[in-house]
Amino acid sequence: MATFHEILFPIAVALGASGGPERITEVVTTASGREERNTRLADSRRRWDAGYGVKTLAALAEIVAFFEERRGRLYGFRWRDRLDHSSAPPGAEISPLDQPLGTGDAVRADFCLAKTYGALHAPYVRPISKPVSGCVRVAVNGVEQIENTHFTVDATQGLVRFADTAVPPHSAHVTAGFLFDVPVRFDTDFLEVNLSAFAAGDIPRIPVIEIRP
């Protein structure tokens, strides 16, 4: 991604942000009163307002500098979602058994990281493209593999690649645990800063939106 900077948005500000996933559902009501519902997008899209995390003038100055270096909406960057940044349940340590990645066939060496939400009715599998480097654990049939010996991780794409001597055999279950960031960009080219209002407790608006890798 040529217009993406592999840098993390100031985490102290991100952890105070407000936002979450958004879906677009089209609802049509027929003459009989029945509803027809459909969605054009397979994946949700997350958005936040980082202004809620700015508590000091020093933090505000840091965000202005970060905004300028990203050239507003031009360059993407990494964002740490306080609520959802781990393959494990909240409060639990990551495990190489957390998330299914696929099934081996003795040939396939590449597996994309993903996180599954729900289980019974309509599980949603979310692609994970920005894992935290050094925080990916992988297992084959429940046996943990060793990074840089059995597999490598492309942390810019969310790709696990097994070594030629460690390709998962037929029917082997490949799983992984990881921490991850979200690829985002600013959703404005104008960062309005009013120091008088800020001193009075007004929150600056700093919109951030998820981008597709």
Side-chain angles (χ1 to χ4, degrees), residues 110-195:
D110 292 351
F111 290 80
C112 294
L113 293 177
K115 181 175 180 179
T116 301
Y117 297 78
L120 182 59
H121 298 287
Y124 167 58
V125 180
R126 175 188 178 187
I128 301 298
S129 62
K130 298 295 179 183
V132 177
S133 181
C135 292
V136 178
R137 300 175 64 185
V138 175
V140 177
N141 279 339
V143 179
E144 186 165 8
Q145 308 295 291
I146 301 173
E147 186 173 2
N148 296 324
T149 298
H150 299 122
F151 71 94
T152 57
V153 177
D154 184 342
T156 67
Q157 299 186 60
L159 182 70
V160 172
R161 173 164 293 169
F162 285 92
D164 292 342
T165 56
V167 171
H170 282 289
S171 302
H173 296 291
V174 181
T175 56
F178 43 83
L179 299 178
F180 64 93
D181 299 319
V182 184
V184 301
R185 62 167 172 80
F186 287 107
D187 198 23
T188 181
D189 279 322
F190 173 49
L191 199 59
E192 184 174 7
V193 177
N194 185 322
L195 292 182

Side-chain angles (χ1 to χ4, degrees), residues 85-102:
H85 61 271
S86 173
S87 61
E93 295 292 326
I94 62 172
S95 158
L97 306 180
D98 284 344
Q99 301 291 328
L101 300 189

